[in-house]
Amino acid sequence: MILTEQYTIPGAKGRPITADLTYDDISPKAPLVIFAHGIRGFKDWGAHHLVARRFAENGFRFLKFNFSHNGTTPDHLTEFADLIAFGDNTFSIELDDLKNVIDFACSGSAIPAADGVCLIGHSMGGGISIVKTAEDSRIKKLVTMAAISSFYNLWPKQAEEQWRLQGVMYMKNARTGQDMPYCVTMLEDLEKNPARLDIPRKAAEITQPWLIIHGDKDTSVPLAHGRELQQAQPRAEFVVINNADHVFNATHPYLANTLTLQLEQCANTAIAFFAGKTS
């Protein structure tokens, strides 16, 4: 039977990380996969629950979580109800959060301890995952989905001067219509940590097996980002999903009971990679 359990993990600046673990009760100590969502994303977006189930059905535990400053709250898991926290988010905060989640997975304090983890990162979460994989040997394999190749690509360069002057920049969330605040501390984080937050540089340092997955119809993070990542780390495998957009043709809310063809291909490719069934 496939089960899902809910957890709260301490996050950055005292904020909680909400998480859930999907697994087959026949194999409670199965290999563990951690999923890191992207900017303006959350663990319960779209078809993430179906992806989690697909992994559980194929012999993995699947732990997905909300970064502590992603704007959701424990009472509003699918809404950006805390825009103050969202605005205060930085890349270093997300790296701290991911470390806490890996600590949780490996400690055995609440779930059977994992002897290392596999990591999946989507979009900005892919960039975070690249940096963390270069830093943490507990990560045994990495899959990035539609990952960015530079944190600077998350906003227009010409907006930075005004951003510094005003201290905050707003970008419209096309799905919700909300004006999402980004405090200048996000930009300052990049400038204070240029080596650590240089994604191609960190990509070049990765020694673990790594699979780069990207859709050829991605207009949010174009396919060129995936090619830049593979250029930085030529040992990485690279798979292009045909006719796939940035979210592999899923939507939020996602009302179907089956994955899109593109997301199914993405999930199955990642499962085979983690299981050692690809080169």
Side-chain angles (χ1 to χ4, degrees):
M1 180 184 299
I2 305 299
L3 302 176
T4 299
E5 297 181 355
Q6 310 292 327
Y7 298 95
T8 301
I9 303 167
K13 297 185 177 180
R15 291 187 179 274
I17 296 169
T18 52
D20 59 67
L21 180 71
T22 302
Y23 65 100
D24 190 326
D25 63 350
I26 295 175
S27 305
K29 296 184 180 180
L32 192 138
V33 174
I34 295 174
F35 175 75
H37 66 74
I39 196 169
R40 297 187 299 278
F42 40 87
K43 70 179 182 68
D44 297 303
W45 190 94
H48 291 341
H49 63 296
L50 296 179
V51 172
R53 186 176 185 88
R54 174 62 61 91
F55 272 82
E57 291 169 343
N58 283 273
F60 293 90
R61 292 180 288 165
F62 195 92
L63 180 66
K64 52 188 176 71
F65 70 97
N66 285 327
F67 285 102
S68 63
H69 287 62
N70 77 334
T72 65
T73 69
D75 294 328
H76 299 89
L77 292 174
T78 61
E79 301 171 27
F80 296 117
D82 190 345
L83 292 182
I84 293 175
F86 183 92
D88 287 339
N89 196 24
T90 67
F91 310 109
S92 293
I93 281 175
E94 295 208 347
L95 286 166
D96 288 344
D97 284 344
L98 184 51
K99 177 186 179 300
N100 288 356
V101 173
I102 296 172
D103 289 346
F104 169 82
C106 295
S107 69
S109 59
I111 63 175
D115 182 19
V117 301
C118 297
L119 182 59
I120 300 176
H122 175 250
S123 193
M124 185 174 110
I128 294 294
S129 297
I130 290 167
V131 174
K132 182 52 67 178
T133 300
E135 295 178 343
D136 197 327
S137 62
R138 294 176 298 176
I139 300 169
K140 303 305 181 184
K141 289 187 176 182
L142 170 67
V143 170
T144 51
M145 299 167 49
I148 58 174
S149 60
S150 171
F151 291 120
Y152 282 102
N153 289 330
L154 292 168
W155 54 76
K157 178 67 176 177
Q158 61 270 23
E160 291 182 6
E161 182 178 357
Q162 191 67 20
W163 193 6
R164 295 180 201 279
L165 290 173
Q166 295 183 334
V168 64
M169 173 176 61
Y170 293 89
M171 286 192 277
K172 181 77 70 175
N173 185 322
R175 181 179 63 83
T176 68
Q178 292 170 288
D179 290 319
M180 309 296 287
Y182 298 79
C183 293
V184 74
T185 47
M186 178 172 274
L187 177 60
E188 292 170 346
D189 186 32
L190 278 178
E191 295 170 341
K192 291 175 182 176
N193 301 282
R196 187 188 192 199
L197 298 179
D198 183 331
I199 294 176
R201 176 173 177 167
K202 289 298 180 179
E205 296 175 4
I206 289 176
T207 58
Q208 300 95 318
W210 175 14
L211 171 64
I212 300 166
I213 303 177
H214 220 105
D216 67 350
K217 303 299 184 186
D218 191 338
T219 56
S220 299
V221 180
L223 182 59
H225 286 243
R227 300 198 186 283
E228 289 171 7
L229 293 174
Q230 191 191 36
Q231 185 176 18
Q233 181 46 268
R235 290 189 303 274
E237 298 183 37
F238 189 33
V239 171
V240 177
I241 307 294
N242 292 329
N243 299 312
D245 62 14
H246 186 57
V247 289
F248 299 89
N249 300 43
T251 58
H252 184 81
Y254 190 80
L255 303 179
N257 293 321
T258 57
L259 296 170
T260 67
L261 291 176
Q262 294 78 9
L263 189 53
E264 181 177 36
Q265 183 181 350
C266 179
N268 289 345
T269 301
I271 288 168
F273 175 75
F274 287 146
K277 295 178 182 178
T278 59
S279 59

